[in-house]
Amino acid sequence: MRINRGLSGVRAYLRGAPGTHVWLAVLFVTTVVLHSMPPEFEENFLRHRSTNLHELSRDPVRVLVASAMWIESGRWLPYAFLYTVFHAPAERWLGTARWLAVCALTHVLASLASEALLLAAIRTGRAPLTAVDTLDIGVSYALAGVIAVLGYRIAVPWRYGYLAAVLAVFTLPLAAGPTVTDVGHLLAALSGLACHPLVRGRGKAWNPKETPARPRG
């Protein structure tokens, strides 16, 4: 029956990127929780789950994990779209373990490096002391890293155009008064490019002129 075939196709699609869809499910639940919260409590609630300097100095592991489970904007659908376009193909290509490694590395490195730069700015007087509580939460660092690493899935010379566009997207905001998050996004993308060793042996790169290569595994 068509319905059974359709359900089988959906199950196969979900099984191809289980980590992506579990993460999306968690984000859906936390977004519902956030919307059910009184607005006056929301910012303080997120601040305790933010990778700001204050929370990192108290419990770095907790906030690095917690900050990847909430969406500051409270809008889940745009992330569902972005996860489907970038995370799911990356997980099917790399395999769940390598995809998760890219996500973790880029999220952690971008969070710590951007906050280290903020700490240096505070110590030199270029940022106020209150910046230790700057809200820096969400899943965008891992997303930026995965978007960048997907460049290795594309064959040369098309890869260069894709990577140039990615770097432009994450570099241009720095020209208009960079925030901690803007710096973090660029650092995450660069960290994703540094994950090249994780993509070795994952099949032939996709050439737009040819039939798309099937992911290995």
Side-chain angles (χ1 to χ4, degrees), residues 82-157:
L82 292 171
Y83 270 49
T84 301
V85 172
F86 296 108
H87 273 301
E91 186 178 2
R92 285 194 292 269
W93 168 46
L94 294 173
T96 298
R98 295 190 189 201
W99 163 80
L100 187 58
V102 172
C103 291
L105 285 169
T106 54
H107 172 67
V108 171
L109 290 176
S111 296
L112 295 180
S114 59
E115 291 299 323
L117 291 173
L118 179 60
L119 178 60
I122 292 172
R123 288 179 171 174
T124 56
R126 291 180 289 113
L129 185 58
T130 54
V132 296
D133 286 319
T134 299
L135 193 63
D136 191 18
I137 194 168
V139 297
S140 56
Y141 291 165
L143 180 60
V146 165
I147 289 172
V149 82
L150 271 174
Y152 297 121
R153 181 71 175 131
I154 305 171
V156 173

Side-chain angles (χ1 to χ4, degrees), residues 136-211:
D136 191 18
I137 194 168
V139 297
S140 56
Y141 291 165
L143 180 60
V146 165
I147 289 172
V149 82
L150 271 174
Y152 297 121
R153 181 71 175 131
I154 305 171
V156 173
W158 314 100
R159 178 183 302 167
Y160 301 136
Y162 175 87
L163 293 180
V166 169
L167 292 176
V169 166
F170 294 119
T171 301
L172 289 177
L174 301 179
T179 65
V180 172
T181 303
D182 292 333
V183 173
H185 285 153
L186 178 59
L187 293 174
L190 295 176
S191 298
L193 293 177
C195 289
H196 181 262
L198 292 173
V199 312
R200 292 172 183 165
R202 301 312 296 175
K204 181 182 177 182
W206 172 58
N207 189 329
K209 288 188 174 182
E210 300 175 358
T211 303

Side-chain angles (χ1 to χ4, degrees), residues 27-28 31 34-35 70-80 139:
L27 291 174
F28 179 80
T31 300
L34 205 59
H35 281 295
W70 299 86
I71 301 173
E72 182 184 350
S73 67
R75 291 180 293 178
W76 182 81
L77 283 177
Y79 281 94
V139 297

